[in-house]
């Protein structure tokens, strides 16, 4: 049976904030060290210590915003340990992630240089659980103040004359857990206190993000919105797609069709989770001023056999491309409330877009999804009406999202969740005439196909021609287990 949708091309009103396509880099495993930072003396070609191959690959994604330094790491991070001459930087224990030595070589200057090289906005998560208000204040002064002050002077001594632009800060991370095991009532008060001392030294005020809930914990959202909603610009939400249990999540590469569907079903749950939190936010903030910031999401499996359990290194298959495609479609559909999202994590940790092994690098299937989907950034969201859609195991076979960009081009991203059946898709295009379709597709032979260091191009996008428009209906024959982007001109 055909999967039928209607798109009213003239009825879009909300903008898909490009920050929904954001990323997250934590001092965890080989994300920052090895994945991004190799150091000034490395034999791996680099720019100011940041590896060139990864930089070039990431530039193609037009990353809008990058969150750093954690995660749980942020709640034990003391920024002053990470500035000044390298030989004097404190060597500390990364207590959350593998208890390895953190030499603090990648600190404030290095992170902000990375953001400048990528052309993205920095999103710094400050230490609320294990830090102090003074430490936070001084960090903001160090980064943003363009006058004479102890911190601005210190920044200049450390080689940076002009301040950086800092738009986003997060006040704590998972303060219900690794960030202090706080109750929402207590955290709401702490948030109110900390945010008071976020001083604006630049013309654009800093956008303040409060620590939000994870999964279905709507009580946290209720308390935060009620007690502190008026003091925040954003409230975070974390949701990870974990196929089985937290104790035994399942393998990233060795899974069967049942686990394929189970994983996709869990990815689809993002829709219901956002709806639940957004409903509470609507009660306190009907104008939708406060953004829901989904600053950690992605698939989380058991680590690759033989790797450090504290490093969260996992491979990335075609299944992850579907998780990314579905999730990004869902985030687009909530763009009236979701103002930013950050997949976890950028390189070598959880659902990464890039994997590295010494001097080698591969782009994962998830990378190609982000590359196809960037067409939605800052475009006007076009809601899709579902007329009829095939069900497999109670989940839809076809999942779509559409937007119209400033030039009038319509981009439609489509996922076929079926592991083995082609999907016939008919989309009734109303409100505007379109005649030309071009497209790209990501699929592969197996549900667990992946890119390895030996075979780095097993899964990559190809041109897609199985779509045409007839009498105002876009007709697509979408191969099983695929993610595609169609552009209508
Ligand atoms: O992304 C890995 C970890 O997951 C983060 O540090 C933490 O915030 C979350 O629990």
């Amino acid at each position: 049976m055909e999967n039928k949708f209607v798109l009213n091309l003239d009825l879009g009103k909300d903008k898909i904030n490009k920050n929904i396509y954001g990323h997250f880099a934590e001092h965890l495993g080989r994300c920052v060290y090895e994945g991004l930072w190799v150091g000034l003396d490395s034999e791996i070609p680099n720019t100011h210590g940041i590896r060139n191959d990864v930089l070039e690959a990431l530039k193609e994604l037009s990353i809008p915003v990058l969150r750093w330094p954690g995660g749980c790491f942020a709640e034990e991070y003391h920024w002053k340990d990470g500035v000044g001459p390298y030989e004097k930087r404190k060597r500390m224990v990364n207590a959350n992630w593998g208890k390895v030595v953190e030499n603090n070589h990648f600190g404030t200057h290095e992170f902000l240089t990375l953001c400048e090289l990528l052309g993205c906005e920095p999103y710094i998560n400050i230490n609320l659980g294990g830090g102090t208000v003074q430490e936070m204040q001084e960090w903001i002064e160090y980064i943003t103040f363009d006058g004479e002050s102890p911190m601005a002077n210190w920044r200049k001594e450390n080689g940076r004359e002009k301040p950086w632009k800092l738009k986003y800060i997060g006040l704590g991370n998972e303060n219900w857990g690794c960030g202090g095991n706080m109750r929402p009532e207590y955290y709401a008060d702490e948030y109110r206190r900390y945010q008071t001392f976020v001083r604006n030294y630049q013309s654009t005020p800093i956008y303040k993000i409060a620590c939000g809930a994870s999964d279905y914990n709507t009580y946290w959202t209720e308390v935060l919105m009620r007690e502190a909603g008026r003091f925040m610009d954003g409230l975070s939400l974390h949701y990870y797609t974990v196929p089985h249990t937290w104790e035994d999540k399942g393998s990233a590469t060795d899974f069967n069709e049942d686990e394929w569907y189970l994983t996709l079903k869990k990815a689809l749950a993002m829709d219901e989770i956002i709806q639940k939190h957004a409903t509470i936010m609507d009660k306190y903030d009907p104008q939708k001023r406060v953004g829901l910031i989904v600053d950690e999401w992605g698939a989380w499996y058991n680590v690759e056999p033989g790797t450090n359990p504290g490093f969260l290194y996992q491979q990335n298959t075609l299944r992850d491309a579907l998780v990314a495609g579905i999730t990004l479609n869902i985030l687009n559909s909530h763009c009236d409330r979701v103002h930013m999202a950050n997949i976890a994590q950028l390189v070598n940790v959880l659902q990464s877009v890039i994997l590295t092994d010494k001097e080698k690098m591969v782009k994962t299937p998830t990378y190609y999804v982000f590359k196809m989907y960037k067409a939605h950034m800052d475009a006007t969201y076009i809601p899709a009406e579902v007329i009829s859609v095939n069900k497999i195991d109670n989940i839809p076979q076809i999942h779509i999202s559409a937007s119209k960009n400033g030039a009038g081009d319509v981009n439609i991203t489509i996922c076929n969740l079926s592991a083995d059946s082609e999907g016939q898709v008919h989309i009734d295009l109303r409100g505007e005439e379109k005649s030309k379709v071009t497209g790209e597709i990501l699929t592969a032979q197996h549900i667990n196909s992946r890119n390895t260091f030996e075979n780095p191009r097993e899964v990559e996008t190809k041109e897609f021609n199985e779509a045409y428009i007839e009498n105002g209906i876009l007709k697509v024959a979408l191969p099983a287990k695929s993610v595609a982007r169609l552009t209508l001109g």
Side-chain angles (χ1 to χ4, degrees):
M1 196 184 82
E2 285 134 12
N3 299 273
K4 293 187 174 163
F5 301 84
V6 173
L7 280 180
N8 288 297
L9 302 182
D10 54 342
L11 291 188
K13 61 176 177 34
D14 297 314
K15 188 162 123 175
I16 298 174
N17 194 317
K18 66 177 178 188
N19 287 339
I20 285 178
Y21 293 84
H23 289 259
F24 169 39
E26 180 167 8
H27 289 236
L28 194 179
R30 297 184 302 109
C31 180
V32 165
Y33 297 105
E34 288 185 44
L36 293 165
W37 174 258
V38 287
L40 302 167
D41 303 328
S42 173
E43 285 181 1
I44 297 177
N46 64 84
T47 305
H48 305 305
I50 299 160
R51 52 190 299 168
N52 289 345
D53 52 355
V54 172
L55 265 180
E56 289 317 309
L58 293 179
K59 276 184 196 164
E60 289 178 42
L61 298 184
S62 314
I63 290 179
V65 59
L66 182 60
R67 177 176 182 239
W68 173 84
C72 295
F73 178 82
E75 293 288 19
E76 293 190 62
Y77 183 61
H78 300 286
W79 70 272
K80 289 181 184 173
D81 297 343
V83 295
Y86 290 118
E87 63 284 2
K88 291 204 178 136
R89 296 196 191 180
K90 204 185 262 181
R91 290 168 66 82
M92 61 182 266
V93 182
N94 188 331
N96 279 288
W97 305 117
K99 313 231 167 9
V100 292
V101 174
E102 159 66 55
N103 66 14
N104 276 301
H105 281 197
F106 190 89
T108 303
H109 289 247
E110 292 73 18
F111 170 65
L112 292 165
T113 299
L114 169 64
C115 290
E116 284 182 339
L117 291 169
L118 292 176
C120 72
E121 297 286 351
Y123 165 15
I124 290 188
N125 212 115
I126 68 102
N127 179 348
L128 183 143
T132 63
V133 165
Q134 183 182 355
E135 194 180 355
M136 174 197 73
Q137 269 192 307
E138 289 181 333
W139 202 2
I140 294 169
E141 182 186 314
Y142 186 94
I143 294 171
T144 64
F145 188 58
D146 193 13
E148 193 192 320
S149 80
M151 291 303 117
N153 293 350
W154 192 25
R155 180 191 73 230
K156 290 173 196 168
E157 274 167 38
N158 288 334
R160 174 80 184 198
E161 186 61 30
K162 282 282 154 203
W164 291 275
K165 204 168 111 232
L166 177 62
K167 200 161 168 189
Y168 302 102
I169 69 160
L171 298 157
N173 172 74
E174 298 195 348
N175 299 90
W176 37 261
C178 68
N181 283 305
M182 300 174 192
R183 293 171 306 112
E185 294 80 3
Y186 180 79
Y187 171 75
D189 280 347
E190 281 291 273
Y191 173 80
R192 289 169 61 130
R193 183 168 76 96
Y194 268 74
Q195 68 80 35
T196 309
F197 302 99
V198 174
R199 302 296 183 206
N200 290 310
Y201 296 116
Q202 298 182 333
S203 52
T204 312
I206 293 177
Y207 183 104
K208 296 178 279 194
I209 300 168
C211 163
S214 89
D215 305 6
Y216 290 89
N217 183 359
T218 48
Y219 179 64
W220 183 278
T221 303
E222 177 84 41
V223 175
L224 262 289
M225 286 305 293
R226 189 182 66 221
E227 304 300 338
R230 66 186 188 281
F231 298 105
M232 64 178 77
D233 300 300
L235 178 64
S236 71
L237 172 68
H238 290 180
Y239 173 63
Y240 284 100
T241 297
V242 179
H244 295 290
T245 61
W246 279 102
E247 291 67 43
D248 183 9
K249 303 172 197 73
S251 163
T253 52
D254 184 12
F255 55 88
N256 58 31
E257 277 196 13
D258 288 345
E259 288 169 297
W260 162 276
Y261 289 118
L262 175 67
T263 309
L264 301 190
K265 191 178 274 180
K266 297 228 172 158
L268 286 161
M270 177 69 98
D271 189 36
E272 187 193 9
I273 290 171
I274 292 177
Q275 262 171 40
K276 285 193 183 305
H277 292 282
T279 303
I280 295 169
M281 294 176 82
D282 286 350
K283 186 165 102 187
Y284 295 96
D285 173 34
Q287 306 304 321
K288 299 187 194 290
R289 183 190 63 81
V290 179
L292 185 61
I293 308 295
V294 188
D295 58 14
E296 288 187 30
W297 68 269
W300 193 328
Y301 310 113
N302 295 336
V303 298
E304 281 302 295
T307 63
N308 188 329
F311 281 14
L312 310 187
Y313 176 72
Q314 65 191 39
Q315 245 294 1
N316 196 290
T317 69
L318 186 60
R319 175 175 61 166
D320 297 289
L322 269 294
V323 170
I326 291 167
T327 306
L328 292 168
N329 283 348
I330 293 170
L331 295 170
N332 284 350
S333 74
H334 291 283
C335 65
D336 57 338
R337 181 60 85 180
V338 176
H339 296 176
M340 187 197 293
N342 311 74
I343 189 171
Q345 299 193 359
L346 195 56
V347 193
N348 293 332
V349 170
L350 301 179
Q351 193 177 344
S352 303
V353 290
I354 301 275
L355 301 176
T356 66
D357 179 18
K358 301 185 186 74
E359 76 292 348
K360 294 188 195 144
M361 180 203 86
V362 294
K363 298 170 178 173
T364 66
T366 300
Y367 175 93
Y368 291 103
V369 173
F370 270 83
K371 200 164 169 206
M372 280 193 283
Y373 274 59
K374 71 179 188 177
H376 288 307
M377 288 187 192
D378 278 347
T380 303
Y381 176 68
I382 301 170
E385 194 185 326
V386 183
I387 304 300
S388 61
V389 74
N390 295 328
K391 289 281 167 71
I392 318 156
D393 252 4
N394 230 7
I395 63 172
Q397 181 188 6
I398 302 291
H399 196 267
I400 76 168
S401 179
S403 68
K404 185 161 37 162
N405 66 21
D409 296 328
V410 171
N411 283 290
I412 308 176
T413 46
I414 317 188
C415 303
N416 184 350
L417 283 61
S418 171
D420 50 24
S421 307
E422 183 181 84
Q424 294 301 327
V425 186
H426 284 193
I427 304 178
D428 189 351
L429 306 170
R430 296 189 188 159
E432 218 174 275
E433 218 168 286
K434 294 283 175 194
S435 53
K436 201 170 144 248
V437 194
T438 53
E440 276 188 286
I441 192 162
L442 187 76
T443 187
Q445 201 179 353
H446 306 291
I447 52 176
N448 65 349
S449 291
R450 56 194 173 271
N451 295 330
T452 61
F453 297 104
E454 296 69 43
N455 189 6
R457 301 187 58 184
E458 177 77 19
V459 190
E460 58 181 9
T461 36
K462 302 207 166 44
E463 199 179 303
F464 181 61
N465 298 315
E466 299 303 313
Y468 61 95
I469 298 173
E470 192 177 60
N471 300 327
I473 312 279
L474 171 66
K475 298 186 175 173
V476 192
L478 196 64
K481 50 179 168 27
S482 65
V483 182
R485 180 190 47 73
L486 300 173
T487 303
L488 317 185

